[in-house]
Amino acid sequence: MPQTTIATSQVPAHREAVQHAADRLAELGAAGVQFRVTRGEHTFVVTSGVAELGTDRAVPEDGRFRISCITKPFVSVVVLQLVAEGRIELDRTVESYLPGLLPQGGRITVRNLLQHTSGLYNYADSFQKPGDRFLRDRYNHYEPEDLIAIAAGKPLEFEPGEEFAYCNTNYFVIGLLIGKVTGRSYRDEIRERVLEPLGLKDTTLPGDAPEIPGPHAHGYMRIAGRTEDVTLMNPSEAGCAGEIISTTADLDRFLVGLFGGELLAEPEFKEMTTPLPGEMIKDLPMGIGYGLGLMKLQNDDGLDLWGHGAGIPGYATFAATTRDLGIRVQLSITLGADFTKEAEQAVIRGVNTAVCFR
C-alpha cells in the first residue's frame, strides 16, 4: 500500500515541487494558479501568476473561483440523501418522476443521469460559440427546461446504460427532479443539506448573478487574437451542472465531509463510489472510472483517488482525495490563453506531483 503520510522534514521539498508545477502552468499560459495540498497532518497552499493581468497582484490563497462541473458531486449528495429518505429511487425512470419531460424518459433512470450513461445529447455542445458570441451572450439567462428541450429534440446517442458520455443535460434533469420531489430548488437543498452543515461559508450558488463575491483572480479567454476578461458571466447556462463558486479550502472541507461520513450513510456512499468499468470511460482526463457524480482518478502511485475536474470560460478546477483522506489536493487555474494539450499534461503532472511526492 503506497504511503499517504509525509515526514515533516519533507514538507519544504514537497511544497517546492508543487510550486514548480504551479510556475510551469503560469509559463504555459495560465494567468493565475492556486494549489492546496494536504498530506497527512500537513497542509500548504502555493500560488503563481497574478490575480489580474496588467497588475502585479498575487493570486489570493483564499480566492474564490467558478468550480464548474465540481458542482455535480454536491448535487449527487443531495440526490443520494433523498434516496436514503425513500423519496428517490436510483433505478426508477425519469418519466415516472417528470412525465413528458423527455420523449425517451421511460428508458432513462436516475442512475443513468448521475453516472452519464443516459445517452442524452449534451445541450452544451450547442453552446460552443465563437468567442465574440460568448462575449455578446454571457449575461443571458437560460431556463433549465429550454436547455433540456435542446437535448429532448434529438435522438438518444446510445441505448441508456450501454455507454458513458459526459453530458451536462443529465444534471439539468436532476435539478428538476430535486425540485419535483422536495418542492424546493436544488440550490436551497444544496445549501441546507451540504453547505450549512459543513460550514462552507465561502461557497455560493449564484443563480443569475454575474459577479464572483469576495477575493478572486480574473479569468480570461483568447478571442479574435485578443485576451478578454471573462470573469463576469451569468452562470445559468451551467446551472445544476456547474454554477457553484467556491474556494480550495471549502472544496477540501467538502471532500473531508463526504469521505468522512458526514454527508452520506455507507449504502449511499458505496453507490456514489462504485465506478463504471474502466473500459467505458473515454476522453475524460485522468478519469479511469465514474461513479455517481464522482470520478475515480488515475495517478502515478495507483492510489485509490477520487474527485472531479472542471472547466468553464476563464477557469479550470480540480479536486481530489484518497479514499482514506490521507492525501487531498485542490487546484484552481484562471486561464489567460487557450488551454493547450501541453498545458493539460502539465496539470496532470502537477496533480501527480502533489499527490505522489515521495
Side-chain angles (χ1 to χ4, degrees):
M1 174 70 68
Q3 222 177 358
T4 60
T5 59
I6 187 169
T8 300
S9 61
Q10 291 179 287
V11 174
H14 190 192
R15 183 184 186 116
E16 182 179 354
V18 176
Q19 182 69 64
H20 178 76
D23 292 342
R24 179 58 179 154
L25 284 167
E27 291 171 4
L28 290 172
V33 182
Q34 182 187 164
F35 260 106
R36 181 184 180 92
V37 180
T38 299
R39 186 85 175 246
E41 298 178 356
H42 304 288
T43 296
F44 60 82
V45 176
V46 304
T47 66
S48 191
V50 294
E52 184 175 4
L53 294 179
T55 76
D56 59 0
R57 290 194 298 110
V59 175
E61 292 188 358
D62 61 347
R64 282 67 164 165
F65 46 87
R66 301 189 188 279
I67 71 170
S68 184
C69 292
I70 303 178
T71 298
K72 292 179 175 72
F74 287 75
V75 173
S76 185
V77 164
V78 170
V79 172
L80 288 165
Q81 288 185 1
L82 292 168
V83 168
E85 294 165 13
R87 301 167 74 181
I88 289 178
E89 296 177 25
L90 290 174
D91 296 313
R92 273 184 62 182
T93 66
V94 173
E95 181 68 16
S96 69
Y97 289 107
L98 299 164
L101 180 67
L102 300 172
Q104 318 90 341
R107 299 159 61 191
I108 298 169
T109 66
V110 176
R111 186 187 302 276
N112 293 148
L113 297 173
L114 289 170
Q115 67 183 190
H116 299 293
T117 59
S118 69
L120 287 170
Y121 172 77
N122 189 1
Y123 80 84
D125 290 344
S126 297
F127 283 78
Q128 301 301 313
K129 309 167 185 171
D132 56 345
R133 290 182 59 196
F134 171 78
L135 289 180
R136 183 194 70 196
D137 297 341
R138 63 174 162 158
Y139 298 114
N140 288 357
H141 168 79
Y142 297 92
E143 289 291 335
E145 292 85 352
D146 293 337
L147 299 178
I148 292 169
I150 295 172
K154 296 182 180 292
L156 291 177
E157 300 198 329
F158 52 81
E159 186 64 25
E162 292 191 357
E163 297 182 37
F164 169 91
Y166 195 85
C167 173
N168 284 337
T169 307
N170 293 321
Y171 278 73
F172 269 80
V173 177
I174 287 290
L176 295 187
L177 171 61
I178 291 170
K180 179 67 176 290
V181 301
T182 67
R184 305 198 313 162
S185 74
Y186 70 85
R187 295 185 183 95
D188 289 338
E189 293 295 325
I190 288 174
R191 290 187 191 105
E192 184 172 300
R193 293 172 177 271
V194 182
L195 306 190
E196 293 172 5
L198 295 182
L200 306 186
K201 299 185 185 303
D202 296 326
T203 300
T204 57
L205 292 104
D208 288 320
E211 301 86 5
I212 296 179
H216 61 275
H218 289 231
Y220 300 87
M221 286 178 66
R222 290 286 292 174
I223 298 173
R226 306 182 309 275
T227 299
E228 298 280 359
D229 190 324
V230 295
T231 307
L232 300 178
M233 65 174 290
N234 183 328
S236 62
E237 180 184 320
C240 195
E243 74 164 277
I244 288 180
I245 293 168
S246 191
T247 65
T248 56
D250 271 12
L251 286 179
D252 185 63
R253 177 70 184 100
F254 172 70
L255 290 173
V256 169
L258 176 57
F259 281 79
E262 297 176 66
L263 294 175
L264 296 175
E266 184 57 32
E268 287 71 40
F269 181 73
K270 184 176 180 181
E271 291 279 11
M272 193 175 191
T273 55
T274 298
L276 292 165
E279 58 268 21
M280 291 182 69
I281 309 302
K282 301 173 184 176
D283 301 322
L284 198 63
M286 288 190 73
I288 55 174
Y290 202 95
L292 304 183
L294 273 181
M295 297 181 195
K296 185 173 174 61
L297 297 159
Q298 186 174 28
N299 59 91
D300 290 348
D301 276 356
L303 297 166
D304 193 8
L305 191 69
W306 287 84
H308 216 288
I312 198 169
Y315 296 84
T317 307
F318 179 86
T321 182
T322 52
R323 190 181 287 262
D324 66 2
L325 292 170
I327 302 174
R328 308 188 300 277
V329 58
Q330 298 83 37
L331 167 63
S332 169
I333 303 170
T334 43
L335 304 181
D338 292 334
F339 205 60
T340 65
K341 191 69 175 177
E342 185 179 8
E344 183 179 291
Q345 291 301 312
V347 171
I348 294 172
R349 287 194 299 273
V351 170
N352 274 300
T353 296
V355 170
C356 302
F357 181 84
R358 297 192 184 113

